[in-house]
Amino acid sequence: MFFRLLSGLLIFAMLLGSALTAQAQQTLNFGIISTEASQNLKVLWEPFLRDMSKALGMEVKAFFASDYAGIIEGMRFKKVDLSWIGNKGAMVMVDRANGEVFAQTTAPDGSKGYYSCLIVNRKSPLQNLDDMFAQASRLRFSNGDPNSTSGFLVPGYYVFAKNGKDPQKIFARTVSANHEANALSVANNTVDVATCNNEGLARLAITAPEKAKELRVIWKSPLIPSDPLVWRKDLSDETKKKITDFIFSYGVKGENVEQARKILTDLQWGPFIKSDNSQLIPLRQLELFRAKMVLESNQDMDAKEKADKIAGIERKLAELGK
């Protein structure tokens, strides 16, 4: 009798667990990085999320946060199930929020990358990095979100670390904002130089064409791998299959392909391609190189401590290179 009762309780617990899991997956929260005003993003994303909800048979809700950290923390605490985010943010998601890269965006023309840039007002006397560094003590600079690839990591390495400069020290004033806010600040002459990327500039040419005309690029980075899509590793296999079936067919096959391509184009994307965490390796190397250069230029650190930290970075670089 006791064993029959215990067996019945175990079966009931399993069924209850399955029911709760199924219930939990009736809604999927899609994290969207804040590259511009949330109201603009909602209008852009609504058609895509509506199509995704229909295909998955569950409600797909947009999760907007004011910065990258909000999206990352959302995934860490299971308030975000999958997300579009830059490579730098994806690294943090993978390392700290149980995230996993499963797809990569492409541009409408099929290219698999984009560019970071520094922008100035078109009337600015600054023509290049040499001009900027020469006048930095009089300039107002707006950096990107610390978890942004093109707004922070890439210019942080190629513009500042490689030239032995610290933006916090060389400019008269340093602030930070998203791509849209940076571009508008430069256009309105409230800052002199700012980080952005070519996608942000193309988007501004649509939303605020007169402001876009006020901008000029003085530096462009090497090609950056296109943004990944990241999901929580602990999503069920069934949910992951539904997501991938939708993502990799959207704008490629099925009903309303042309409409889907139009929706992707409005998001400045082409069809998605498969990816994984290895996409992040070049950016991890970049971040480690930048950290190494900062250490090497630090004249105040104890020599042994510096050598130990540099050796640790070199070990990590060697591991990534395997």
Side-chain angles (χ1 to χ4, degrees), residues 87 91 149 153-154 225 279-287:
N87 290 281
M91 286 192 287
T149 304
L153 175 59
V154 170
Q279 173 181 330
L280 306 176
I281 290 175
L283 281 303
R284 289 188 183 280
Q285 292 169 322
L286 195 67
E287 189 164 61

Side-chain angles (χ1 to χ4, degrees), residues 206-224:
I206 297 171
T207 60
E210 293 307 311
K211 296 296 183 182
K213 291 176 183 177
E214 296 299 312
L215 305 176
R216 180 163 49 81
V217 173
I218 63 168
W219 172 83
K220 187 174 82 169
S221 74
L223 188 71
I224 304 167

Side-chain angles (χ1 to χ4, degrees), residues 9-68:
L9 288 172
L10 287 171
I11 292 171
F12 174 76
M14 291 171 64
L15 291 173
L16 179 61
S18 298
L20 289 173
T21 299
Q23 183 179 8
Q25 293 180 351
Q26 291 307 304
T27 299
L28 206 66
N29 292 321
F30 198 123
I32 299 168
I33 55 178
S34 180
T35 55
E36 57 182 283
S38 292
Q39 190 55 46
N40 294 342
L41 289 173
K42 287 176 184 176
V43 173
L44 278 176
W45 278 85
E46 188 176 285
F48 177 81
L49 297 179
R50 184 174 58 242
D51 285 353
M52 190 173 187
S53 296
K54 182 180 178 181
L56 269 61
M58 65 178 77
E59 184 179 10
V60 181
K61 291 184 176 180
F63 183 99
F64 296 102
S66 60
D67 56 21
Y68 286 60

Side-chain angles (χ1 to χ4, degrees), residues 71-137:
I71 299 292
I72 294 166
E73 288 300 290
M75 181 166 285
R76 181 183 171 205
F77 290 103
K78 300 189 177 184
K79 296 183 183 297
V80 168
D81 300 300
L82 71 158
S83 178
W84 161 56
I85 195 165
N87 290 281
K88 173 69 164 61
M91 286 192 287
V92 183
M93 276 187 167
V94 168
D95 294 344
R96 303 180 189 173
N98 198 33
E100 181 179 49
V101 174
F102 72 96
Q104 183 181 6
T105 60
T106 67
D109 65 1
S111 59
K112 301 174 185 177
Y114 63 109
Y115 300 92
S116 170
C117 57
L118 290 188
I119 54 175
V120 298
N121 191 282
R122 67 181 179 86
K123 297 178 181 177
S124 170
L126 305 178
Q127 300 297 321
N128 49 46
L129 293 186
D130 289 340
D131 289 347
M132 183 188 75
F133 288 137
Q135 300 180 44
S137 62

Side-chain angles (χ1 to χ4, degrees), residues 121 140 181-191 211 214-215:
N121 191 282
R140 300 159 298 175
N182 273 354
L184 291 174
S185 294
V186 172
N188 293 327
N189 280 312
T190 56
V191 300
K211 296 296 183 182
E214 296 299 312
L215 305 176

Side-chain angles (χ1 to χ4, degrees), residues 232-261:
R232 286 198 351 252
K233 287 175 68 174
D234 59 358
L235 290 178
S236 70
D237 291 341
E238 179 185 2
T239 299
K240 287 180 178 179
K241 185 177 187 307
K242 287 181 178 180
I243 292 170
T244 54
D245 285 349
F246 169 75
I247 288 293
F248 298 124
S249 64
Y250 195 68
V252 176
K253 59 184 179 180
E255 297 180 5
N256 303 317
V257 170
E258 293 304 317
Q259 180 183 345
R261 287 298 290 264

